[in-house]
Amino acid sequence: QKAMEQCLKAASQGDVEAMVMMGEYYEEGDVAEMDCLQAIRWYRLAAEHGDNDAVWKAKELEESIDQIMVWKHAAEQGNAEAMYHLADSYDWGWHIKCDLEKAAYWYTLAAEHGESRAERRTILRSDIEASFSSCVTMIKVCPVRSRSVKNRR
């Protein structure tokens, strides 16, 4: 939070690198909540101040958002490949807020519509969730062992 405040102050005073960094903060969602429109705004501002890479970053982000909107529309119309790509975007948080429930929904729907990559992803996600549940159960059953394993790192 402090880093963001300092960066915002510098960007507001015309620091082009700080403007780009603000764009990255909003794009990546690690320091600030993901907000692609804010990211684009900061990249454009940096571009106006002469940062050529910022022009490219803003354009790439705009194109990614446009692509997600195309996938969303096509997925809602029943396109299985678009469902898969939309699910992937939600799953990995690619220029859209990560939402595992929406990812699972779109993977399942895509698999039901015959998208083989979605079928594989659905199976993989089920395996991961089962493994995670087993780990949680083991930690609940053996709390002393889980602490000793954690402390070895």
Side-chain angles (χ1 to χ4, degrees):
Q1 187 66 16
K2 182 121 174 131
M4 177 133 175
E5 290 172 12
Q6 291 173 337
C7 192
L8 178 58
K9 182 178 179 183
S12 299
Q13 294 172 349
D15 184 326
V16 178
E17 286 182 38
M19 292 174 193
V20 171
M21 191 170 283
M22 288 297 297
E24 291 171 350
Y25 286 162
Y26 281 113
E27 180 179 2
E28 295 166 7
D30 296 331
V31 176
E33 187 171 333
M34 182 185 286
D35 185 335
C36 291
L37 296 178
Q38 280 292 332
I40 291 168
R41 183 174 88 65
W42 282 108
Y43 288 145
R44 284 183 180 161
L45 193 57
E48 289 171 11
H49 284 83
D51 189 303
N52 293 328
D53 289 339
V55 174
W56 174 80
K57 287 182 176 213
K59 185 68 175 163
E60 180 184 48
L61 187 52
E62 288 168 346
E63 288 174 0
S64 293
I65 292 169
D66 288 346
Q67 183 61 64
I68 290 169
M69 293 299 104
V70 167
W71 287 333
K72 190 171 191 318
H73 178 73
E76 290 168 349
Q77 300 301 313
N79 183 295
E81 185 175 358
M83 291 173 190
Y84 171 77
H85 288 299
L86 184 59
D88 242 13
S89 296
Y90 280 120
D91 198 9
W92 295 100
W94 289 326
H95 300 130
I96 193 169
K97 188 173 181 177
C98 183
D99 187 325
L100 299 180
E101 286 182 23
K102 287 183 181 178
Y105 170 79
W106 286 110
Y107 280 136
T108 301
L109 206 54
E112 289 171 0
H113 281 78
E115 174 58 61
S116 60
R117 293 173 294 178
E119 290 174 29
R120 289 190 299 273
R121 189 62 61 94
T122 302
I123 291 167
L124 178 62
R125 287 176 61 83
S126 295
D127 290 347
I128 290 170
E129 288 172 9
S131 295
F132 181 76
S133 293
S134 295
C135 290
V136 169
T137 301
M138 185 180 92
I139 289 169
K140 287 179 182 176
V141 172
C142 305
V144 173
R145 173 146 168 66
S146 65
R147 277 191 296 240
S148 64
V149 170
K150 183 178 175 184
N151 293 334
R152 278 193 250 155
R153 290 185 178 178

